[in-house]
Amino acid sequence: MPPLARYMLAGIFLVLGGLMLVWRKGPNCWIGVRTPWTFADRDIWDKSWLMATFLLFGMGLGALWSMPLFVVSLVALIVLGILYPLFLYYRKYGTWRYWKDIGWSAYRPAVRCTRCGHIQRLKDADELAMAHCQSCGASLWR
Ligand SMILES: [Zn+2]
């Protein structure tokens, strides 16, 4: 690749990575790891945002110094952009289910009871700490 193209690529991803590092915007319609699982939980949104930030830096530095690093970071960004929020979500809620309220980004979490397997809707991520299973009464906090 010609040097100018590499510098331009590096510039795009380093600026975007830098912006995401200092800005840390909440769920919105155009930037960030936008999946139902990140929209449903602000903590997972933030963690996924940080992961994407590092991989954007990887792409920027890779464009400057090493194309394999660029490609690895790009593939990681696409694959982990989906898998990482899924992993965090499943670990926290015991399911990949979510539900959709009114509004384009109004995804809400659901949680699986570890005792009886009942899946219950939560109005938001904060409710998890206090919620009890409607079926067996067990605490849903894990
Ligand atoms: Zn239960």
Side-chain angles (χ1 to χ4, degrees):
M1 201 187 284
L4 184 62
R6 292 176 79 123
Y7 293 143
M8 283 175 64
L9 265 185
I12 291 167
F13 294 114
L14 290 176
V15 166
L16 192 57
L19 183 73
M20 287 179 72
L21 191 63
V22 293
W23 192 28
R24 305 286 178 91
K25 193 167 167 46
N28 66 88
C29 64
W30 62 281
I31 190 170
V33 182
R34 299 175 60 240
T35 69
W37 305 279
T38 48
F39 279 134
D41 187 300
R42 177 62 198 264
D43 185 49
I44 293 173
W45 171 274
D46 288 339
K47 283 178 176 153
S48 304
W49 177 282
L50 197 59
M51 178 213 65
T53 302
F54 284 119
L55 292 174
L56 285 169
F57 276 120
M59 287 173 70
L61 297 177
L64 278 183
W65 294 320
S66 136
M67 280 327 261
L69 176 62
F70 177 83
V71 173
V72 167
S73 299
L74 175 63
V75 172
L77 187 63
I78 295 165
V79 174
L80 291 180
I82 297 162
L83 293 186
Y84 185 58
L86 275 174
F87 164 76
L88 292 176
Y89 192 92
Y90 194 87
R91 198 176 59 173
K92 186 166 180 179
Y93 296 103
T95 177
W96 285 309
R97 288 219 212 152
Y98 53 85
W99 62 284
K100 182 88 166 54
D101 209 345
I102 297 158
W104 65 269
S105 72
Y107 293 92
R108 312 274 184 220
V111 60
R112 186 175 202 277
C113 175
T114 47
R115 197 202 281 174
C116 74
H118 172 70
I119 289 178
Q120 186 165 321
R121 290 176 170 195
L122 300 174
K123 79 176 184 312
D124 57 34
D126 292 336
E127 199 191 327
L128 181 63
M130 299 147 314
H132 287 82
C133 177
Q134 283 162 357
S135 176
C136 76
S139 169
L140 290 171
W141 181 250
R142 51 190 70 230

mmCIF file of all heavy atoms in Angstrom, residues 96-120:
data_model
loop_
_atom_site.group_PDB
_atom_site.id
_atom_site.type_symbol
_atom_site.label_atom_id
_atom_site.label_comp_id
_atom_site.label_asym_id
_atom_site.label_seq_id
_atom_site.Cartn_x
_atom_site.Cartn_y
_atom_site.Cartn_z
ATOM 1 N N TRP A 96 -29.291 -15.027 26.722
ATOM 2 C CA TRP A 96 -29.046 -13.998 25.710
ATOM 3 C C TRP A 96 -30.330 -13.247 25.376
ATOM 4 O O TRP A 96 -30.346 -12.392 24.515
ATOM 5 C CB TRP A 96 -28.452 -14.624 24.441
ATOM 6 C CG TRP A 96 -27.006 -14.995 24.635
ATOM 7 C CD1 TRP A 96 -26.030 -14.176 25.126
ATOM 8 C CD2 TRP A 96 -26.380 -16.242 24.365
ATOM 9 N NE1 TRP A 96 -24.832 -14.866 25.182
ATOM 10 C CE2 TRP A 96 -25.026 -16.131 24.715
ATOM 11 C CE3 TRP A 96 -26.852 -17.448 23.856
ATOM 12 C CZ2 TRP A 96 -24.122 -17.180 24.569
ATOM 13 C CZ3 TRP A 96 -25.942 -18.488 23.701
ATOM 14 C CH2 TRP A 96 -24.596 -18.350 24.065
ATOM 15 N N ARG A 97 -31.400 -13.612 26.066
ATOM 16 C CA ARG A 97 -32.672 -12.948 25.769
ATOM 17 C C ARG A 97 -32.690 -11.519 26.277
ATOM 18 O O ARG A 97 -32.065 -11.190 27.277
ATOM 19 C CB ARG A 97 -33.807 -13.717 26.427
ATOM 20 C CG ARG A 97 -34.081 -15.016 25.737
ATOM 21 C CD ARG A 97 -35.558 -15.256 25.704
ATOM 22 N NE ARG A 97 -35.808 -16.681 25.764
ATOM 23 C CZ ARG A 97 -36.897 -17.220 26.273
ATOM 24 N NH1 ARG A 97 -37.832 -16.438 26.798
ATOM 25 N NH2 ARG A 97 -37.067 -18.509 26.270
ATOM 26 N N TYR A 98 -33.437 -10.705 25.570
ATOM 27 C CA TYR A 98 -33.667 -9.324 25.985
ATOM 28 C C TYR A 98 -35.082 -9.006 25.532
ATOM 29 O O TYR A 98 -35.738 -9.841 24.903
ATOM 30 C CB TYR A 98 -32.662 -8.371 25.310
ATOM 31 C CG TYR A 98 -32.624 -8.519 23.817
ATOM 32 C CD1 TYR A 98 -33.527 -7.840 23.018
ATOM 33 C CD2 TYR A 98 -31.708 -9.377 23.209
ATOM 34 C CE1 TYR A 98 -33.530 -7.998 21.655
ATOM 35 C CE2 TYR A 98 -31.698 -9.539 21.837
ATOM 36 C CZ TYR A 98 -32.605 -8.844 21.061
ATOM 37 O OH TYR A 98 -32.609 -9.007 19.712
ATOM 38 N N TRP A 99 -35.575 -7.851 25.871
ATOM 39 C CA TRP A 99 -36.885 -7.466 25.350
ATOM 40 C C TRP A 99 -36.826 -6.022 24.908
ATOM 41 O O TRP A 99 -35.906 -5.283 25.268
ATOM 42 C CB TRP A 99 -37.994 -7.743 26.351
ATOM 43 C CG TRP A 99 -37.902 -6.992 27.638
ATOM 44 C CD1 TRP A 99 -37.057 -7.245 28.671
ATOM 45 C CD2 TRP A 99 -38.692 -5.874 28.042
ATOM 46 N NE1 TRP A 99 -37.263 -6.364 29.695
ATOM 47 C CE2 TRP A 99 -38.264 -5.500 29.346
ATOM 48 C CE3 TRP A 99 -39.734 -5.153 27.442
ATOM 49 C CZ2 TRP A 99 -38.838 -4.432 30.047
ATOM 50 C CZ3 TRP A 99 -40.295 -4.100 28.145
ATOM 51 C CH2 TRP A 99 -39.851 -3.750 29.427
ATOM 52 N N LYS A 100 -37.793 -5.633 24.098
ATOM 53 C CA LYS A 100 -37.750 -4.329 23.462
ATOM 54 C C LYS A 100 -38.931 -3.498 23.941
ATOM 55 O O LYS A 100 -40.072 -3.901 23.845
ATOM 56 C CB LYS A 100 -37.841 -4.530 21.941
ATOM 57 C CG LYS A 100 -37.754 -3.284 21.110
ATOM 58 C CD LYS A 100 -36.324 -2.940 20.781
ATOM 59 C CE LYS A 100 -36.238 -1.886 19.677
ATOM 60 N NZ LYS A 100 -36.989 -0.681 19.939
ATOM 61 N N ASP A 101 -38.597 -2.349 24.487
ATOM 62 C CA ASP A 101 -39.622 -1.402 24.903
ATOM 63 C C ASP A 101 -39.893 -0.450 23.737
ATOM 64 O O ASP A 101 -39.336 -0.598 22.659
ATOM 65 C CB ASP A 101 -39.100 -0.643 26.139
ATOM 66 C CG ASP A 101 -40.228 -0.188 27.053
ATOM 67 O OD1 ASP A 101 -41.388 -0.206 26.613
ATOM 68 O OD2 ASP A 101 -39.944 0.187 28.199
ATOM 69 N N ILE A 102 -40.708 0.560 23.967
ATOM 70 C CA ILE A 102 -41.001 1.517 22.899
ATOM 71 C C ILE A 102 -39.799 2.447 22.718
ATOM 72 O O ILE A 102 -39.242 2.948 23.693
ATOM 73 C CB ILE A 102 -42.259 2.330 23.255
ATOM 74 C CG1 ILE A 102 -43.456 1.383 23.359
ATOM 75 C CG2 ILE A 102 -42.523 3.416 22.217
ATOM 76 C CD1 ILE A 102 -44.598 1.925 24.191
ATOM 77 N N GLY A 103 -39.390 2.681 21.465
ATOM 78 C CA GLY A 103 -38.231 3.521 21.181
ATOM 79 C C GLY A 103 -37.144 2.718 20.485
ATOM 80 O O GLY A 103 -36.997 1.529 20.741
ATOM 81 N N TRP A 104 -36.370 3.370 19.621
ATOM 82 C CA TRP A 104 -35.433 2.627 18.771
ATOM 83 C C TRP A 104 -34.312 1.942 19.534
ATOM 84 O O TRP A 104 -33.793 0.926 19.112
ATOM 85 C CB TRP A 104 -34.857 3.552 17.697
ATOM 86 C CG TRP A 104 -34.002 4.653 18.278
ATOM 87 C CD1 TRP A 104 -34.434 5.893 18.651
ATOM 88 C CD2 TRP A 104 -32.611 4.603 18.583
ATOM 89 N NE1 TRP A 104 -33.389 6.602 19.171
ATOM 90 C CE2 TRP A 104 -32.265 5.844 19.126
ATOM 91 C CE3 TRP A 104 -31.620 3.620 18.427
ATOM 92 C CZ2 TRP A 104 -30.970 6.146 19.545
ATOM 93 C CZ3 TRP A 104 -30.332 3.922 18.849
ATOM 94 C CH2 TRP A 104 -30.015 5.172 19.396
ATOM 95 N N SER A 105 -33.894 2.487 20.693
ATOM 96 C CA SER A 105 -32.775 1.876 21.423
ATOM 97 C C SER A 105 -33.210 1.338 22.778
ATOM 98 O O SER A 105 -32.393 1.020 23.614
ATOM 99 C CB SER A 105 -31.657 2.901 21.627
ATOM 100 O OG SER A 105 -32.064 3.853 22.603
ATOM 101 N N ALA A 106 -34.530 1.214 22.982
ATOM 102 C CA ALA A 106 -35.046 0.849 24.303
ATOM 103 C C ALA A 106 -35.027 -0.667 24.512
ATOM 104 O O ALA A 106 -36.051 -1.272 24.789
ATOM 105 C CB ALA A 106 -36.446 1.412 24.490
ATOM 106 N N TYR A 107 -33.832 -1.250 24.379
ATOM 107 C CA TYR A 107 -33.684 -2.668 24.681
ATOM 108 C C TYR A 107 -33.510 -2.825 26.182
ATOM 109 O O TYR A 107 -32.780 -2.054 26.805
ATOM 110 C CB TYR A 107 -32.484 -3.252 23.949
ATOM 111 C CG TYR A 107 -32.670 -3.290 22.461
ATOM 112 C CD1 TYR A 107 -32.240 -2.245 21.660
ATOM 113 C CD2 TYR A 107 -33.321 -4.366 21.868
ATOM 114 C CE1 TYR A 107 -32.440 -2.271 20.288
ATOM 115 C CE2 TYR A 107 -33.526 -4.403 20.497
ATOM 116 C CZ TYR A 107 -33.082 -3.347 19.716
ATOM 117 O OH TYR A 107 -33.285 -3.385 18.373
ATOM 118 N N ARG A 108 -34.210 -3.806 26.744
ATOM 119 C CA ARG A 108 -34.149 -4.029 28.185
ATOM 120 C C ARG A 108 -33.683 -5.452 28.465
ATOM 121 O O ARG A 108 -33.969 -6.366 27.693
ATOM 122 C CB ARG A 108 -35.538 -3.843 28.811
ATOM 123 C CG ARG A 108 -36.259 -2.603 28.385
ATOM 124 C CD ARG A 108 -35.884 -1.410 29.222
ATOM 125 N NE ARG A 108 -36.682 -0.257 28.836
ATOM 126 C CZ ARG A 108 -36.202 0.971 28.751
ATOM 127 N NH1 ARG A 108 -34.939 1.207 29.002
ATOM 128 N NH2 ARG A 108 -36.972 1.972 28.409
ATOM 129 N N PRO A 109 -32.998 -5.636 29.591
ATOM 130 C CA PRO A 109 -32.489 -6.977 29.890
ATOM 131 C C PRO A 109 -33.570 -7.934 30.394
ATOM 132 O O PRO A 109 -34.575 -7.512 30.967
ATOM 133 C CB PRO A 109 -31.438 -6.722 30.968
ATOM 134 C CG PRO A 109 -31.823 -5.430 31.602
ATOM 135 C CD PRO A 109 -32.555 -4.631 30.568
ATOM 136 N N ALA A 110 -33.311 -9.209 30.175
ATOM 137 C CA ALA A 110 -34.082 -10.282 30.801
ATOM 138 C C ALA A 110 -33.067 -11.115 31.568
ATOM 139 O O ALA A 110 -31.879 -11.093 31.252
ATOM 140 C CB ALA A 110 -34.788 -11.124 29.752
ATOM 141 N N VAL A 111 -33.523 -11.825 32.583
ATOM 142 C CA VAL A 111 -32.591 -12.607 33.388
ATOM 143 C C VAL A 111 -33.162 -14.001 33.622
ATOM 144 O O VAL A 111 -34.375 -14.188 33.709
ATOM 145 C CB VAL A 111 -32.283 -11.878 34.726
ATOM 146 C CG1 VAL A 111 -33.537 -11.671 35.551
ATOM 147 C CG2 VAL A 111 -31.225 -12.619 35.538
ATOM 148 N N ARG A 112 -32.267 -14.978 33.681
ATOM 149 C CA ARG A 112 -32.679 -16.364 33.900
ATOM 150 C C ARG A 112 -32.415 -16.724 35.359
ATOM 151 O O ARG A 112 -31.308 -16.535 35.854
ATOM 152 C CB ARG A 112 -31.859 -17.267 32.978
ATOM 153 C CG ARG A 112 -32.273 -18.705 33.004
ATOM 154 C CD ARG A 112 -31.467 -19.472 31.954
ATOM 155 N NE ARG A 112 -32.142 -20.696 31.579
ATOM 156 C CZ ARG A 112 -32.063 -21.821 32.275
ATOM 157 N NH1 ARG A 112 -31.337 -21.860 33.382
ATOM 158 N NH2 ARG A 112 -32.701 -22.902 31.870
ATOM 159 N N CYS A 113 -33.429 -17.247 36.009
ATOM 160 C CA CYS A 113 -33.288 -17.662 37.415
ATOM 161 C C CYS A 113 -32.371 -18.879 37.498
ATOM 162 O O CYS A 113 -32.573 -19.860 36.786
ATOM 163 C CB CYS A 113 -34.664 -18.006 37.984
ATOM 164 S SG CYS A 113 -34.601 -18.675 39.652
ATOM 165 N N THR A 114 -31.355 -18.803 38.355
ATOM 166 C CA THR A 114 -30.426 -19.941 38.463
ATOM 167 C C THR A 114 -31.078 -21.131 39.164
ATOM 168 O O THR A 114 -30.648 -22.249 39.000
ATOM 169 C CB THR A 114 -29.148 -19.550 39.238
ATOM 170 O OG1 THR A 114 -29.530 -18.855 40.424
ATOM 171 C CG2 THR A 114 -28.248 -18.669 38.405
ATOM 172 N N ARG A 115 -32.121 -20.879 39.962
ATOM 173 C CA ARG A 115 -32.739 -21.985 40.687
ATOM 174 C C ARG A 115 -33.764 -22.732 39.833
ATOM 175 O O ARG A 115 -33.742 -23.953 39.756
ATOM 176 C CB ARG A 115 -33.405 -21.486 41.972
ATOM 177 C CG ARG A 115 -33.689 -22.633 42.944
ATOM 178 C CD ARG A 115 -34.769 -22.293 43.935
ATOM 179 N NE ARG A 115 -34.273 -21.456 45.029
ATOM 180 C CZ ARG A 115 -35.084 -20.941 45.964
ATOM 181 N NH1 ARG A 115 -36.380 -21.174 45.935
ATOM 182 N NH2 ARG A 115 -34.591 -20.185 46.918
ATOM 183 N N CYS A 116 -34.682 -22.000 39.185
ATOM 184 C CA CYS A 116 -35.766 -22.698 38.474
ATOM 185 C C CYS A 116 -35.753 -22.486 36.965
ATOM 186 O O CYS A 116 -36.532 -23.109 36.242
ATOM 187 C CB CYS A 116 -37.120 -22.280 39.042
ATOM 188 S SG CYS A 116 -37.625 -20.617 38.560
ATOM 189 N N GLY A 117 -34.905 -21.607 36.455
ATOM 190 C CA GLY A 117 -34.810 -21.437 35.010
ATOM 191 C C GLY A 117 -35.821 -20.478 34.415
ATOM 192 O O GLY A 117 -35.833 -20.250 33.211
ATOM 193 N N HIS A 118 -36.673 -19.910 35.266
ATOM 194 C CA HIS A 118 -37.657 -18.932 34.807
ATOM 195 C C HIS A 118 -36.950 -17.699 34.234
ATOM 196 O O HIS A 118 -35.997 -17.211 34.817
ATOM 197 C CB HIS A 118 -38.543 -18.536 35.998
ATOM 198 C CG HIS A 118 -39.480 -17.405 35.736
ATOM 199 N ND1 HIS A 118 -40.566 -17.517 34.905
ATOM 200 C CD2 HIS A 118 -39.484 -16.128 36.196
ATOM 201 C CE1 HIS A 118 -41.202 -16.354 34.863
ATOM 202 N NE2 HIS A 118 -40.573 -15.495 35.630
ATOM 203 N N ILE A 119 -37.417 -17.231 33.083
ATOM 204 C CA ILE A 119 -36.826 -16.040 32.488
ATOM 205 C C ILE A 119 -37.743 -14.848 32.713
ATOM 206 O O ILE A 119 -38.942 -14.918 32.437
ATOM 207 C CB ILE A 119 -36.524 -16.256 30.997
ATOM 208 C CG1 ILE A 119 -35.340 -17.231 30.889
ATOM 209 C CG2 ILE A 119 -36.186 -14.932 30.312
ATOM 210 C CD1 ILE A 119 -34.946 -17.580 29.496
ATOM 211 N N GLN A 120 -37.180 -13.818 33.261
ATOM 212 C CA GLN A 120 -37.960 -12.675 33.724
ATOM 213 C C GLN A 120 -37.438 -11.388 33.119
ATOM 214 O O GLN A 120 -36.236 -11.183 33.018
ATOM 215 C CB GLN A 120 -37.814 -12.636 35.252
ATOM 216 C CG GLN A 120 -38.656 -11.627 35.944
ATOM 217 C CD GLN A 120 -38.697 -11.939 37.450
ATOM 218 O OE1 GLN A 120 -38.770 -13.098 37.846
ATOM 219 N NE2 GLN A 120 -38.641 -10.925 38.263
#
